Amino acid sequence: MNMKTDELDKLVRFRRDVHQSPELGFEEHETSRKVREYLDSLGVEYVSGLGKTGIVAKIVGTGAQSDASVGLRADMDALPLEEKSGVEYASTNSGCMHACGHDGHTTMLLGAVEHLQANNDFSGSVYCVFQPAEEGVGGGKAMVDDGLFDRFSIREIYGLHNWPALPVGRFGLIAGPIMAGGDRVDITIHGKGGHGGLNPHGCVDPIRIAAELIHKAHTIVSREVDPLSPAVLSICAIHSGDLSGFAVIPNTAQLCGTIRALSDEARETVRSGLKRLCESLEHYYGAKIELSIEDKFDVTFNEAGATQTAKDVITQCFGERALERDYKPSMGGEDFAYMLAVCPGAYIHVGSGDDDHPYGLHNPQYDFNDKVIPYGVELLSKLARESLDKQNAKG
């Protein structure tokens, strides 16, 4: 696919417009409106309001009648960050920015919609899923729960994500787990405060307990999880007391962190170890420790057949060297996992790194690399056609 300059310019303008007005999960009302307007301009039918602010567009091929169908998914939400990229189209919504490239993903899927609508000589149906709330608030699950696969006969589904760790023109893809399952961990230690100099012996010091908890929690993976099964437990934040109260032992300490694993077994081992640790410290110190483990996303699991289809498309479109060899899964999370748990499919990392875009995902200086747009549009468009062709060949 050779994208014309005016076609690319149109998509870049759309992407930067969305970038300038980012919205958090389930609040993508303006973004959703812009997507609907784009679809209306193409004459593409769609259903909106799925999973609150999600959209599903449908393109029916003009070829022989067929029940074959495929889904293409992009996420739309932004992150609660103050943008520091310095670009002229930077966020105008204070404390909110597209720091993960979902503005680019939405744009590439719209580009694929436009291409497939104009070149609809295929047999079957393509469903284009614009998903809200990917950033840890369950938009993928919300769409599934709202009937994504009941209301639309999607037989196979594909998603992609820009990946700054890979150079532009390279793609990362493996069968099986490609992104980790993950939890949010919140811990509150209720102790007994007092004077740090006068009567520390009469206190139940939550900071002392927190220090021991953090130290021991970070040994759970190394001593309780099979070393051949990747897992991570990180305590990432702690709050207790006040820096101006240099002699005040506080009553409570709050901790927050995350669990990540590439298998449900390893994930449950870490959860169990953390629960036992909190219970033992609670009894030993005479404190009360509240532990909350919130399931954020499942393991993102690529089905073997869909993965091979994606690999075939990548090598056909971009050459053998475009496919990264010996690719490794990421311990990041992705709630596209909830769709892949219901429908076979694959998730693909699309290289977006170059000298002009040195910042990684979730960085306040990050900006999506517009050079990736033609790659994403071609990949999504060809994935849809290849999936339908394979389904039709099987009969």
Side-chain angles (χ1 to χ4, degrees):
M1 178 192 301
N2 293 316
M3 183 174 289
K4 297 178 180 178
T5 301
D6 59 336
E7 294 173 337
L8 178 57
D9 288 346
K10 175 185 175 182
L11 291 172
V12 169
R13 286 195 301 273
F14 181 88
R15 200 282 294 183
R16 295 181 178 184
D17 180 48
V18 171
H19 185 93
Q20 200 164 26
S21 53
E23 296 168 299
L24 299 178
F26 295 126
E27 298 175 7
E28 307 95 339
H29 303 292
E30 181 65 12
T31 305
S32 181
R33 183 190 64 78
K34 291 175 180 178
V35 170
R36 295 194 307 271
E37 283 187 353
Y38 201 110
L39 295 172
D40 286 336
S41 73
L42 301 175
V44 174
E45 64 176 277
Y46 58 86
V47 174
S48 61
L50 199 76
K52 296 186 179 179
T53 48
I55 301 167
V56 180
K58 180 180 181 180
I59 306 165
V60 180
T62 59
Q65 185 174 357
S66 170
D67 292 331
S69 63
V70 61
L72 306 173
R73 172 268 196 180
D75 35 20
M76 301 189 294
D77 60 322
L79 282 158
L81 283 177
E82 192 68 41
E83 182 162 359
K84 298 181 181 179
S85 67
V87 297
E88 61 182 11
Y89 47 86
S91 170
T92 57
N93 294 342
S94 180
C96 185
M97 74 167 288
H98 273 293
C100 203
H102 297 185
D103 49 343
H105 303 163
T106 298
T107 300
M108 291 189 291
L109 184 51
L110 283 172
V113 170
E114 187 161 8
H115 178 79
L116 290 166
Q117 178 77 345
N119 301 272
N120 61 351
D121 56 335
F122 49 84
S123 295
S125 300
V126 181
Y127 294 93
C128 299
V129 181
F130 296 88
Q131 181 207 305
E134 188 279 328
E135 294 290 358
V137 276
K141 186 176 187 300
M143 292 196 83
V144 172
D145 291 345
D146 211 5
L148 175 62
F149 296 105
D150 299 321
R151 297 170 61 179
F152 308 98
S153 58
I154 301 172
R155 293 186 174 182
E156 196 169 64
I157 191 164
Y158 294 89
L160 54 76
H161 202 296
N162 82 98
W163 213 245
L166 289 173
V168 174
R170 301 293 286 273
F171 300 83
L173 176 66
I174 51 174
I178 188 169
M179 301 285 280
D183 302 309
R184 173 181 173 134
V185 173
D186 287 284
I187 302 170
T188 301
I189 303 169
H190 298 278
K192 179 183 176 183
H195 197 296
L198 181 63
N199 71 330
H201 58 290
C203 301
V204 178
D205 185 350
I207 293 180
R208 174 193 181 193
I209 299 169
E212 186 169 347
L213 191 154
I214 292 170
H215 171 70
K216 290 183 175 176
H218 286 160
T219 68
I220 291 173
V221 170
S222 65
R223 287 299 175 266
E224 298 190 34
V225 177
D226 184 337
L228 298 179
S229 183
V232 174
L233 168 59
S234 292
I235 304 298
C236 301
I238 177 171
H239 177 78
S240 187
D242 192 304
L243 293 178
S244 62
F246 73 97
V248 179
I249 294 175
N251 285 313
T252 61
Q254 295 175 296
L255 296 82
C256 183
T258 188
I259 297 170
R260 304 291 171 102
L262 292 179
S263 74
D264 292 337
E265 181 182 7
R267 192 172 169 193
E268 185 54 41
T269 297
V270 178
R271 289 171 172 171
S272 178
L274 187 58
K275 289 174 185 175
R276 293 196 317 273
L277 174 60
C278 289
E279 289 168 359
S280 66
L281 292 175
E282 184 177 58
H283 293 312
Y284 181 80
Y285 286 107
K288 178 175 175 55
I289 301 179
E290 297 176 1
L291 170 64
S292 170
I293 300 177
E294 180 185 358
D295 183 346
K296 280 293 186 182
F297 31 76
D298 289 343
V299 174
T300 305
F301 192 92
N302 282 347
E303 190 266 336
T307 302
Q308 189 57 52
T309 297
K311 287 183 176 181
D312 292 342
V313 168
I314 290 167
T315 55
Q316 289 167 15
C317 292
F318 311 109
E320 291 285 341
R321 296 186 63 184
L323 193 61
E324 193 77 2
R325 300 301 176 186
D326 300 318
Y327 198 62
K328 300 296 188 294
S330 166
M331 298 307 283
E334 168 59 69
D335 79 350
F336 185 52
Y338 291 106
M339 297 184 187
L340 292 178
V342 179
C343 180
Y347 184 70
I348 305 154
H349 293 158
V350 179
S352 60
D354 62 19
D355 291 342
D356 296 325
H357 297 81
Y359 299 104
L361 305 175
H362 292 214
N363 186 298
Q365 293 179 285
Y366 167 89
D367 181 34
F368 179 81
N369 189 345
D370 289 325
K371 296 174 188 174
V372 177
I373 291 175
Y375 290 92
V377 172
E378 182 169 1
L379 176 58
L380 289 168
S381 301
K382 293 293 179 67
L383 275 172
R385 299 182 73 99
E386 185 71 11
S387 175
L388 294 176
D389 286 346
K390 286 190 174 183
Q391 291 178 49
N392 287 317
K394 290 179 181 178

